[in-house]
Amino acid sequence: MADHLAVTLSEYQLQPLNPEKAAEYFENCFGKVADAYALSEQNRTLLEAIFDLSPYLRNCAEKDPDFVLACFEKGFDTTFETVIGETLQLGCNDPDETRFMSGIRIAKRRVALLCGLADLAGVWKDKQVTKALSDFARASLSACFDFLLLQYQRNEKLKLANSKRPQQESGLVVLGMGKFGADELNYSSDIDLIVFHDCSASIELLTDDPVTLLNRMGKQLIKLMQERTVEGYVFRTDLRLRPDPSSTPLIIPTEAALNYYEGQGQNWERAAMIKATPVAGDIEAGERFLKELRPFVWRKYLDFAAIQDVHSIKRQIHAHKGHGVICVNGHNIKLGRGGIREIEFFVQTQQLIAGGRNPELRQRGTIEALDALCRQGWIEKNAAENLSQAYWFLRNLEHRLQMVEDQQTHTLPDDANELKRIAGMFGETNIKAFSERIKKTLQTVEHYYSRLFEAAPELSAVGGNLVFTGQDEDPDTISTLQALGFEQPSEVIKLVKHWHVAKMPALQTSQARELLTELVPELLQAFSKSSKPDKTLFGFDQFLSGLPAGIQLFSILKSNPGLNSLLVRILTAAPSMAEQISRKPHVFDGMLEPQSDNEIPSREYLEQVLAANLSAIENYEMKLDQARRFFREIRFQIASRFLAGTIDCEKAALAVSNLAEAMISVMLEAVQDEFAIQHGSVEGARICVLAMGRLGSRELTVESDLDLIFLYDFDKDTAQSDGRRPLDPTSYFIRFTQRFITAMSTPTAEGKIFELDFRLRPSGNAGPLATHVEGFLKYQKEDAWVWESQALTRARAVAGNDELCERVMDEVPKILIKAGQNTKLEYEIHKMRMLVEKEKGSSNPWDVKSATGGMLDIEFIVQWLVLKNGTGHEVPVGTRQVLLSPLAASLTEAQRDQLVTAYDLFSVIMHLLRTCLGRDIPDEPFPQGFQEVVYTSLDLPDISTCEAHLKNTQKQVREIFLSLLEAGK
């Protein structure tokens, strides 16, 4: 035989680990092949070293020694071309699946053997090796698709356009991704594919369910390529880079794919598509698809959003500061610091930035892209040269790591002997010098990579990797999440990945997903500060699923990082508020209003803003919706500031009361205008809206109803209103009140404002909704029950005609003084409290309003004090204020102090309950986050201590109540 290779073997002087074993391995392989002894001594020495250094290549050679000799006789190039030609024919030659799978696996083994020999012999350099591996991957895929298409045609599942060239016009778009698309496969590489189907192609699918048919074909492709038989496997094949892999078939229609990339495509998918190449199937259809996809990958303008995308990819793919120091033993030369991934990302980042405007930069190959970046002035010549040299050294090192046992590894050995093996494959005997070469290469890459992102934003001080791209979990991300306090880092990664392809409304647009991607590091850090970070994150996911849209909220959070901690507090402690955001995210807008920490919006300010908003709207129904939006936003602002601790419960109560009064005043005017269109007005009409209950005492919570009484007056000679549909005055004011209740309380698409309660009017529900002022005053003076006089102690005119309001409020003290002269006052108040307790009492101490010894006990005491001691004293507005006024003279100092302390305790708890949990107190244990808010607000160690303190306080209040009022029973 002719030995053509002797003159080519000066590149590497391979060093076997064990020379004696090396000779033995040669004999084991070629002992029965006479032609082997015609090899030159140099080539024999080469083979001996290779067999000793690479068990995998040795095993391949022992199975096919004649093929080894053919490589030396005919040359590697010619032999490789022969294998490729034979592989391409396999798919059309034999319909038997077993024989096809055997034939293609033998071809793969031969290519692996040939490439390993050519590489270690120094015959093939750098690109030749990766190109040969990639060419065989293309040929094997092409053979598989030929085989499958012909098989499906024989089984009458489809009809081909050309049976002699099955893939032609098949519409199967087979894209090679990553290194495969760039002809840069490593020695034991997986191949990443995305397979689409162009439904407009000439191929005819003979089925009513093409999705299932194509999905089955995808599964068979994976089987043909990666199932292990006695002959081995071809390539591990990964189709998970397709759009939304968890919920889509293996082969996706091109139209659906284009819609996905346009509407939901992610930054990492843009980067992946840089190297995408049609590698099999209908090549022309593949090129058409990539042409349509160009606007997604290559953005036309270099703008702020594009730069943010790049920084986002940096965080997703590889956070520079998350890697440990550069070392040799155990270092990952692909993903580790200074590794291959950093070179690739260095290139892809700048391609994404400028490739949209400069097509010259749209190179698939890493080296070609480095050269283009240099030519176009994006990087210096030294950078291009140094990174190119580093790239090929690391790639050759990668090949050798994988040649040992055909394992997909990128990690340098920890074991000194194994590192010596890798050095031997480079002809190196000085392990220290070899290690220094590796380290220097990694440091060079690190230098250029870190310089690229000198001005990039930090990772929000998270202090580690946060990688949520691709299919595999990044170990550094796991470590970072654990350091942040997450107990289930794998579930966290899975959840964040899911957001990239989620079908939830909040993430339907690419802008929303990009904004959320930017927010993820800051959100995770904010979540980590909660007591249960995992639970907080899962709560945020549930919250996201309920959002109708995401861009507005994400933009607010991104522009105002301080709101992240508030959002976490809401998610962990205030499900009622979280539900409000979920239904109507714009409620967060109110948090952006300029305001000092302890200021609350005045009634005048709120009236002015709301009136201005409504004045620009002509349609009455639209006015109602706008009013509801305004109310919801301000109420949420108040609740948020209270939850955040910038205002206390007293200021929160005043703020909600100001909001209620503003809404009543402005909506009263709006209803008057609308009502007058049909019914006109009544001559001399005057209205007084009398606030009762907690609005009267300015002690509302964010979930309070409004207790109101509508009083009216008019010129006595007026018989009816002057509108198109005139009404008598009594009917007019009753109908007007009904219209006002509808405007305030009826739900629309924007919700409602306040529930209104008119049961405190004379005769309660049996009486008319609106009461003539004379009748009201006469009733209160002559016929009112003691409990109605108690209610009147909180009465306060909040809207309507100034003159009428003043008249009513002048009469109220007189009525109260008379009511206080009742000799059975204590008896009646005690009796009413016991009746209310019997009908509406609660055994739950957290129901601080209705529980025995709760807020009602204090309110009844205060009402008694006002009635008993009202003569000569102005009645302050507010329960606490009365307790601290001269009206409390009937109390001992100790009783007064105890009641004030109890009132403050009950107020904090009531406001927290209403703010965080809504109107209903849950039977089950409170959410952990809410418990923390409660005991922190009360400066107590835990919720059990809070409950014990609450019960003890209620006991004290009941004792005071009975000591003051039980004697009268």
Side-chain angles (χ1 to χ4, degrees):
M1 65 174 286
D3 184 1
H4 296 301
L5 300 176
V7 297
T8 66
L9 302 180
S10 59
E11 180 67 24
Y12 301 120
Q13 297 295 320
L14 302 190
Q15 302 297 318
L17 294 176
N18 189 326
E20 293 181 2
K21 280 286 186 181
E24 182 182 330
Y25 291 145
F26 184 89
E27 292 297 329
N28 290 341
C29 182
F30 295 112
K32 297 180 180 179
V33 183
D35 286 349
Y37 297 94
L39 289 169
S40 68
E41 182 179 351
Q42 190 174 11
N43 284 339
R44 175 170 174 159
T45 301
L46 169 72
L47 287 172
E48 288 179 354
I50 290 174
F51 292 164
D52 182 50
L53 293 168
S54 172
Y56 173 67
L57 289 176
R58 180 174 73 241
N59 291 335
C60 290
E62 288 175 351
K63 292 177 181 178
D64 209 344
D66 288 329
F67 180 75
V68 177
L69 297 178
C71 292
F72 280 82
E73 181 180 6
K74 299 176 182 178
F76 290 117
D77 292 347
T78 301
T79 307
F80 178 74
E81 290 171 5
T82 300
V83 175
I84 291 293
E86 292 171 349
T87 302
L88 288 169
Q89 293 302 313
L90 285 173
C92 299
N93 287 346
D94 192 336
D96 183 82
E97 184 176 282
T98 301
R99 287 193 293 269
F100 171 76
M101 290 177 68
S102 177
I104 201 168
R105 279 155 177 73
I106 291 171
K108 167 59 188 299
R109 187 183 68 218
R110 288 180 169 179
V111 167
L113 179 56
L114 184 151
C115 288
L117 295 174
D119 187 358
L120 293 176
V123 178
W124 283 357
K125 296 284 294 178
D126 301 338
K127 185 69 174 180
Q128 279 180 287
V129 179
T130 61
K131 180 69 164 57
L133 292 166
S134 303
D135 284 347
F136 177 74
R138 292 173 185 243
S140 59
L141 277 172
S142 184
C144 286
F145 276 106
D146 281 344
F147 179 85
L148 289 170
L149 289 168
L150 289 170
Q151 181 189 69
Y152 275 53
Q153 180 168 258
R154 285 191 296 270
N155 294 336
E156 298 183 351
K157 299 295 184 183
L158 54 78
K159 185 176 181 180
L160 296 170
N162 184 348
S163 296
K164 292 184 178 180
R165 300 184 64 185
Q167 297 172 77
Q168 189 177 48
E169 298 181 41
S170 67
L172 288 172
V173 174
V174 186
L175 299 182
M177 308 297 289
K179 289 182 172 66
F180 185 17
D183 288 334
E184 295 173 345
L185 285 182
N186 53 61
Y187 188 77
S188 296
S189 183
D190 298 348
I191 56 172
D192 292 310
L193 303 177
I194 305 181
V195 186
F196 302 112
H197 177 246
D198 185 348
C199 300
S200 65
S202 299
I203 191 173
E204 185 178 354
L205 301 180
L206 306 176
T207 177
D208 295 331
D209 189 3
V211 173
T212 300
L213 177 72
L214 291 170
N215 198 51
R216 187 181 304 121
M217 184 183 292
K219 290 179 179 178
Q220 286 184 265
L221 170 68
I222 293 174
K223 174 188 174 183
L224 294 178
M225 290 292 286
Q226 72 177 30
E227 185 176 278
R228 289 186 178 271
T229 70
V230 293
E231 301 293 351
Y233 69 102
V234 188
F235 286 98
R236 291 174 293 270
T237 305
D238 193 339
L239 272 66
R240 292 177 296 171
L241 288 180
R242 69 186 185 277
D244 196 4
S246 63
S247 59
T248 55
L250 295 174
I251 300 179
I252 304 172
T254 53
E255 183 178 0
L258 289 169
N259 288 337
Y260 167 85
Y261 288 121
E262 180 180 353
Q264 302 181 49
Q266 297 298 296
N267 294 316
W268 67 267
E269 290 172 307
R270 290 181 60 211
M273 280 294 175
I274 291 176
K275 295 185 177 183
T277 309
V279 291
D282 189 337
I283 300 298
E284 292 183 0
E287 295 292 358
R288 289 196 300 271
F289 176 83
L290 288 179
K291 185 176 181 180
E292 290 189 70
L293 201 61
R294 281 178 194 166
F296 165 67
V297 181
W298 306 111
R299 298 190 174 175
K300 186 175 181 182
Y301 300 108
L302 173 59
D303 57 9
F304 178 76
I307 296 172
Q308 289 301 311
D309 285 348
V310 171
H311 291 163
S312 173
I313 296 172
K314 173 181 182 274
R315 286 198 289 270
Q316 288 181 336
I317 295 181
H318 196 283
H320 170 68
K321 293 189 176 180
H323 287 266
V325 297
I326 288 178
C327 58
V328 174
N329 290 35
H331 194 78
N332 189 313
I333 62 167
K334 176 183 178 181
L335 301 177
R337 197 168 182 177
I340 296 167
R341 176 61 60 85
E342 290 193 351
I343 301 175
E344 293 171 336
F345 192 70
F346 177 91
V347 171
Q348 292 170 7
T349 297
Q350 295 177 90
Q351 285 180 293
L352 283 180
I353 289 175
R357 297 180 300 167
N358 189 345
E360 175 70 16
L361 299 180
R362 302 175 191 177
Q363 305 291 331
R364 292 185 174 111
T366 302
I367 302 303
E368 292 81 359
L370 281 169
D371 291 341
L373 287 168
C374 180
R375 288 194 303 272
Q376 298 299 314
W378 279 83
I379 61 175
E380 297 176 354
K381 185 177 181 180
N382 283 345
E385 291 177 350
N386 291 337
L387 287 174
S388 295
Q389 291 172 7
Y391 180 77
W392 284 125
F393 174 69
L394 292 173
R395 292 304 310 277
N396 288 329
L397 184 56
E398 179 183 41
H399 291 323
R400 282 147 183 76
L401 289 170
Q402 296 175 357
M403 282 178 194
V404 177
E405 294 287 0
D406 188 32
Q407 292 179 342
Q408 177 72 331
T409 181
H410 307 90
T411 303
L412 291 166
D414 284 316
D415 182 77
N417 285 330
E418 287 303 310
L419 186 60
K420 185 177 180 181
R421 181 194 300 276
I422 303 304
M425 289 180 167
F426 280 93
E428 294 279 359
T429 56
N430 187 328
I431 300 301
K432 182 178 180 181
F434 180 64
S435 297
E436 284 299 318
R437 182 182 177 190
I438 295 173
K439 190 172 182 179
K440 183 177 179 181
T441 301
L442 296 171
Q443 289 171 339
T444 297
V445 174
E446 180 202 17
H447 167 72
Y448 287 108
Y449 180 80
S450 60
R451 279 182 58 193
L452 179 63
F453 289 104
E454 282 177 351
E458 293 293 334
L459 196 59
S460 302
V462 169
N465 266 17
L466 285 178
V467 178
F468 301 107
T469 187
Q471 301 302 320
D472 299 322
E473 292 180 355
D474 172 49
D476 287 342
T477 299
I478 294 285
S479 299
T480 301
L481 291 171
Q482 289 173 333
L484 286 172
F486 290 93
E487 297 178 354
Q488 305 176 66
S490 293
E491 293 301 314
V492 173
I493 292 172
K494 185 186 302 183
L495 191 61
V496 176
K497 284 183 178 181
H498 173 68
W499 294 340
H500 293 160
V501 293
K503 295 295 191 297
M504 57 184 73
L507 298 172
Q508 285 295 300
T509 68
S510 59
Q511 184 182 357
R513 291 190 301 279
E514 289 165 6
L515 285 169
L516 182 57
T517 297
E518 289 290 323
L519 279 170
V520 163
E522 295 170 9
L523 288 174
L524 290 177
Q525 190 172 34
F527 296 158
S528 73
K529 295 176 181 177
S530 67
S531 61
K532 299 286 184 182
D534 299 82
K535 191 173 182 180
T536 305
L537 175 65
F538 300 145
F540 178 73
D541 177 66
Q542 186 176 6
F543 164 73
L544 272 186
S545 67
L547 275 178
I551 291 176
Q552 184 180 34
L553 177 61
F554 301 155
S555 298
I556 292 171
L557 293 174
K558 185 173 181 294
S559 302
N560 301 270
L563 293 182
N564 290 331
S565 58
L566 173 60
L567 178 62
V568 171
R569 197 168 179 85
I570 289 172
L571 293 175
T572 55
S576 176
M577 294 180 67
E579 185 182 1
Q580 292 173 45
I581 304 173
S582 179
R583 290 198 308 266
K584 302 291 181 181
H586 75 79
V587 295
F588 239 137
D589 288 352
M591 298 307 299
L592 306 181
E593 292 291 331
Q595 55 198 348
S596 66
D597 287 343
N598 57 2
E599 281 185 354
I600 58 172
S602 66
R603 168 179 170 167
E604 293 72 24
Y605 168 77
L606 294 172
E607 279 186 18
Q608 180 183 358
V609 175
L610 177 58
N613 286 343
L614 299 189
S615 66
I617 302 172
E618 295 184 4
N619 181 276
Y620 178 68
E621 299 301 327
M622 292 177 66
K623 282 179 184 286
L624 296 184
D625 282 342
Q626 178 59 34
R628 281 156 169 73
R629 286 191 291 269
F630 175 84
F631 164 75
R632 193 169 51 239
E633 183 177 307
I634 300 301
R635 185 181 66 165
F636 185 86
Q637 177 192 114
I638 296 167
S640 298
R641 295 180 63 200
F642 171 66
L643 184 62
T646 59
I647 59 174
D648 58 21
C649 63
E650 183 177 6
K651 286 190 174 180
L654 290 174
V656 179
S657 300
N658 286 344
L659 175 61
E661 292 175 28
M663 298 303 303
I664 291 171
S665 176
V666 176
M667 294 307 295
L668 192 68
E669 184 176 344
V671 172
Q672 283 177 324
D673 293 342
E674 178 66 15
F675 196 72
I677 293 174
Q678 287 188 326
H679 302 295
S681 60
V682 172
E683 187 73 24
R686 295 178 296 281
I687 292 173
C688 170
V689 181
L690 202 59
M692 311 291 283
R694 301 187 72 83
L695 175 58
S697 58
R698 297 179 65 77
E699 295 170 326
L700 292 179
T701 71
V702 291
E703 291 289 340
S704 290
D705 296 343
L706 304 185
D707 293 305
L708 301 178
I709 295 177
F710 248 69
L711 304 177
Y712 66 87
D713 195 9
F714 59 94
D715 290 350
K716 296 193 182 331
D717 296 335
T718 303
Q720 62 181 19
S721 64
D722 58 7
R724 296 197 309 267
R725 298 174 58 185
L727 296 169
D728 66 85
T730 300
S731 299
Y732 181 94
F733 289 109
I734 291 173
R735 293 275 295 275
F736 174 81
T737 305
Q738 289 172 330
R739 183 70 65 88
F740 178 77
I741 293 172
T742 298
M744 292 284 285
S745 302
T746 300
T748 71
E750 297 294 336
K752 60 185 177 181
I753 303 176
F754 283 101
E755 287 285 356
L756 303 184
D757 190 337
F758 281 77
R759 287 176 296 179
L760 291 178
R761 67 187 186 271
S763 302
N765 287 337
L769 282 173
T771 306
H772 193 283
V773 64
E774 295 293 350
F776 172 77
L777 293 175
K778 183 175 185 296
Y779 176 85
Q780 291 291 342
K781 291 175 181 177
E782 301 176 3
D783 301 317
W785 297 79
V786 171
W787 69 265
E788 291 178 296
S789 298
Q790 287 178 245
L792 201 63
T793 62
R794 294 185 178 187
R796 189 167 54 86
V798 294
N801 177 266
D802 290 342
E803 182 182 343
L804 183 61
C805 289
E806 184 176 347
R807 177 188 171 192
V808 170
M809 293 311 298
D810 283 344
E811 294 295 325
V812 166
K814 302 173 186 177
I815 296 170
L816 295 179
I817 290 172
K818 182 180 179 181
Q821 295 169 354
N822 188 329
T823 57
K824 293 185 177 182
L825 182 64
E826 286 79 8
Y827 169 78
E828 294 292 342
I829 292 176
H830 179 274
K831 177 183 174 182
M832 179 55 64
R833 176 67 187 104
M834 294 304 107
L835 180 62
V836 171
E837 185 167 292
K838 180 179 179 180
E839 294 181 355
K840 297 183 179 181
S842 174
S843 60
N844 184 351
W846 291 100
D847 187 353
V848 294
K849 175 182 178 182
S850 301
T852 300
M855 188 69 85
L856 280 178
D857 282 40
I858 298 177
E859 290 175 350
F860 271 58
I861 291 172
V862 167
Q863 291 160 11
W864 168 70
L865 291 173
V866 172
L867 292 173
K868 180 178 177 63
N869 303 321
T871 304
H873 296 292
E874 182 178 351
V875 179
V877 176
T879 302
R880 194 177 197 276
Q881 286 71 19
V882 172
L883 288 172
L884 296 175
S885 75
L887 291 169
S890 300
L891 303 177
T892 67
E893 186 174 351
Q895 288 175 330
R896 184 192 62 198
D897 291 345
Q898 284 181 307
L899 290 175
V900 169
T901 300
Y903 174 82
D904 291 342
L905 172 66
F906 298 161
S907 294
V908 170
I909 293 174
M910 183 182 293
H911 276 273
L912 287 173
L913 285 165
R914 300 293 185 267
T915 299
C916 298
L917 304 183
R919 298 175 66 90
D920 300 323
I921 302 173
D923 295 330
E924 65 271 10
F926 295 137
Q928 181 63 37
F930 176 72
Q931 293 185 29
E932 293 176 13
V933 168
V934 171
Y935 64 69
T936 301
S937 298
L938 300 181
D939 197 22
L940 293 172
D942 53 49
I943 199 70
S944 298
T945 306
C946 292
E947 184 166 328
H949 178 55
L950 178 59
K951 289 179 178 178
N952 185 59
T953 303
Q954 289 167 341
K955 181 182 177 182
Q956 293 175 352
V957 169
R958 175 47 61 100
E959 289 174 353
I960 295 173
F961 175 85
L962 294 177
S963 70
L964 296 171
L965 296 168
E966 189 177 28
K969 69 180 182 179

